[in-house]
C-alpha cells in the first residue's frame, strides 16, 4: 500500500503533495513502482497535529481519490476518521476506508462502510485523540491489549454489517506506543496475526521508533530524521511480511515491492525444497 498524503503537516512528507496534481502524479509513480493499493489521506494524525476542518479534508482528498480511482488501475483507499468524508470518497471511487480510530471517532463510520460494501481497515490507537496518544502510553501486555481491542472493533464492524472479507486489522504502530511497544508488536506479530480475526496491515514507514533505534546505534540523542528512515523501514517491512502481515503501508514503494517479491520467491523455493 503506497502512501499519498495530501497534507501540509504529515511528519515525513507533509506539504510535498498538497496540490492535487502533484498528489495524483505521486500516486501514479507509486503504482509504477509496484504498489498494489494507494492510500490517500488529507488529515495528519501525527502527535500534536492540528485537526483539519471536514470541508478542508474533503477538498484535499476528493479530487485525488477521483482521479486515482480512474487512472491508477489499483484500488484506492481513503485514510479518514470521518464518515461523511468516507462516504464522499466512496462516491468518488474509493474502494477501501482506512480509519486510524477503527470506527470510534465517528459512530456512523461502520454503517457507511457496510452499506457501500467497501473494505475497512481498523487501526488500534491508544485513547481516542492523536494529539494526546503519545502522552505516557502504558500497557501491561501490549500484544494482548492491542489484540483484544482490535477483536472488539472487528466484532463491532461485523455487527454493523461489514463482511468478513472486507476487513483488515492494524496494530497501529506509533499510535499511542513507546519504542518498546512498537518493537514488541513487531517481534510478536505472529500472535497478533493469529488472533486478529482479519488480515493484518502493518504501517511502520518512516516512523519515529525507527529514527530512535537508529540514532541510539550512533549515540545520537535526536531521532534520525524521517528521510533517513527508509532502510530501517525496509527491514521492518521484510520482517512483518515474513511473519504474516498481509499488507504493508509504505512511503517508498519500490524497495518494499522488490523485497516482498524476493521474499515470496524464496519462500516458495524453500517450501519445494522441504517437500
Ligand atoms: N499511519 C499513519 C497514517 N495512517 N493508517 C494505517 N492503516 N496504519 C498506519 O500505521 C498509519 C495509517 C501515519 O503515518 P503517515 O503520516 O506517514 O501517513
Amino acid at each position: 500500500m503506497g502512501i499519498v498524503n495530501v497534507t501540509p503537516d504529515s511528519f515525513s512528507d507533509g506539504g510535498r503533495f498538497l496540490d492535487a496534481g502533484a498528489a495524483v502524479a505521486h500516486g501514479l509513480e507509486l503504482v509504477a513502482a509496484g504498489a498494489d493499493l494507494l492510500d490517500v489521506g488529507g488529515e495528519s494524525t501525527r502527535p500534536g497535529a492540528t485537526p483539519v476542518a471536514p470541508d478542508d479534508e474533503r477538498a484535499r482528498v476528493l479530487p485525488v481519490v477521483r482521479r486515482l480511482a480512474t487512472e491508477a488501475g489499483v484500488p484506492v483507499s481513503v485514510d479518514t476518521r470521518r464518515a461523511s468524508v468516507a462516504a464522499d470518497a466512496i462516491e468518488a471511487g474509493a474502494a477501501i476506508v482506512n480509519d486510524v480510530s477503527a470506527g470510534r471517532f465517528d459512530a456512523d463510520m461502520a454503517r457507511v462502510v457496510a452499506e457501500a460494501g467497501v473494505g475497512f481497515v481498523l487501526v488500534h490507537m491508544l485513547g481516542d485523540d492523536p494529539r494526546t496518544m503519545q502522552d505516557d502510553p502504558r500497557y501491561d501486555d501490549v500484544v494482548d491489549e492491542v489484540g483484544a481491542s482490535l477483536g472488539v472493533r472487528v466484532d463491532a464492524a461485523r455487527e454493523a454489517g461489514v463482511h468478513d472479507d472486507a476487513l483488515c486489522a492494524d496494530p497501529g504502530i506509533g499510535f499511542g506506543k513507546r519504542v518498546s511497544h512498537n518493537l514488541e508488536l513487531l517481534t510478536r506479530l505472529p500472535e497478533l496475526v493469529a488472533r486478529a480475526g482479519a488480515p493484518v496491515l502493518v504501517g511502520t514507514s518512516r516512523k519515529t521508533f525507527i529514527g530512535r533505534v537508529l540514532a541510539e546505534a550512533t549515540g545520537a540523542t535526536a531521532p534520525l530524521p524521517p528521510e533517513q528512515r527508509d532502510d530501517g523501514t525496509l527491514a521492518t517491512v521484510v520482517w512483518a511480511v515474513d511473519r504474516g502481515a498481509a499488507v504493508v503501508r509504505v512511503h517508498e514503494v519500490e524497495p518494499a515491492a522488490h523485497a516482498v517479491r524476493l521474499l515470496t520467491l524464496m519462500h516458495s523455493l524453500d517450501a519445494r525444497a522441504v517437500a
Side-chain angles (χ1 to χ4, degrees), residues 5 10-11 79 98 100 121 123 170 175 201 203 207 249 251:
N5 279 328
S10 281
F11 72 96
D79 186 343
N98 172 27
V100 299
V121 181
V123 185
D170 181 335
F175 285 88
L201 186 155
K207 287 195 174 162
R249 182 182 179 277
H251 298 87

Side-chain angles (χ1 to χ4, degrees), residues 28 31 36 68-75:
L28 297 175
V31 173
D36 295 322
L68 286 175
T70 53
E71 294 174 35
V74 299

Side-chain angles (χ1 to χ4, degrees), residues 1 12 19-20 41 45 50 59 65 82-83 87 97 130 155 157 169 184 196 231 244 259 266:
M1 173 185 266
S12 71
D19 166 71
T45 41
T50 340
V65 167
R82 292 193 173 100
V97 175
D155 288 346
E184 191 165 355
D231 297 352
M266 289 186 295

Side-chain angles (χ1 to χ4, degrees), residues 47-273:
T50 340
V52 58
D55 282 346
D56 292 341
E57 190 185 356
R58 223 174 250 110
R60 287 177 190 173
V61 297
L62 294 185
V64 179
V65 167
R66 188 169 294 114
R67 278 195 49 198
L68 286 175
T70 53
E71 294 174 35
V74 299
V76 174
S77 141
V78 63
D79 186 343
T80 185
R81 298 180 294 159
R82 292 193 173 100
S84 66
V85 175
D88 289 350
I90 292 164
E91 184 86 37
I96 300 165
V97 175
N98 172 27
D99 180 356
V100 299
S101 82
R104 293 183 302 143
F105 180 79
D106 189 328
D108 240 10
M109 185 62 104
R111 184 190 57 78
V112 163
V113 170
E115 281 178 14
V118 294
F120 199 14
V121 181
L122 303 165
V123 185
H124 176 270
M125 180 184 354
L126 188 67
D128 51 14
D129 189 345
R131 282 173 298 181
T132 54
M133 67 189 176
Q134 284 303 109
D135 297 349
D136 195 22
R138 284 167 196 254
Y139 300 85
D140 286 328
D141 182 318
V142 67
V143 176
D144 269 0
E145 287 167 53
V146 167
S149 166
L150 283 175
V152 169
R153 299 316 305 162
V154 165
D155 288 346
R158 282 197 184 117
E159 269 164 40
V162 181
H163 280 277
D164 278 353
D165 60 4
L167 285 165
C168 207
D170 181 335
I173 298 295
F175 285 88
K177 280 114 189 161
R178 294 177 180 283
V179 172
S180 59
H181 297 140
N182 293 316
L183 291 173
E184 191 165 355
L185 284 165
L186 288 173
T187 51
R188 293 171 59 198
L189 192 64
E191 286 176 54
L192 262 186
V193 168
R195 69 182 285 185
V200 168
L201 186 155
V202 174
T204 51
S205 192
R206 297 184 183 164
K207 287 195 174 162
T208 306
F209 81 100
I210 294 173
R212 286 201 195 283
V213 168
L214 295 179
E216 250 169 49
T218 65
T221 46
L224 226 61
E227 63 278 10
Q228 290 175 35
R229 298 177 192 162
D230 285 327
D231 297 352
T233 297
L234 191 58
T236 62
V237 161
V238 172
W239 178 277
V241 170
D242 208 34
R243 280 154 187 79
V247 184
V248 281
R249 182 182 179 277
V250 292
H251 298 87
E252 199 67 61
V253 166
E254 190 166 71
H258 285 175
V260 170
R261 208 160 292 145
L262 262 295
L263 195 61
T264 309
L265 173 66
M266 289 186 295
H267 271 296
S268 71
L269 294 175
D270 190 39
R272 257 186 270 162

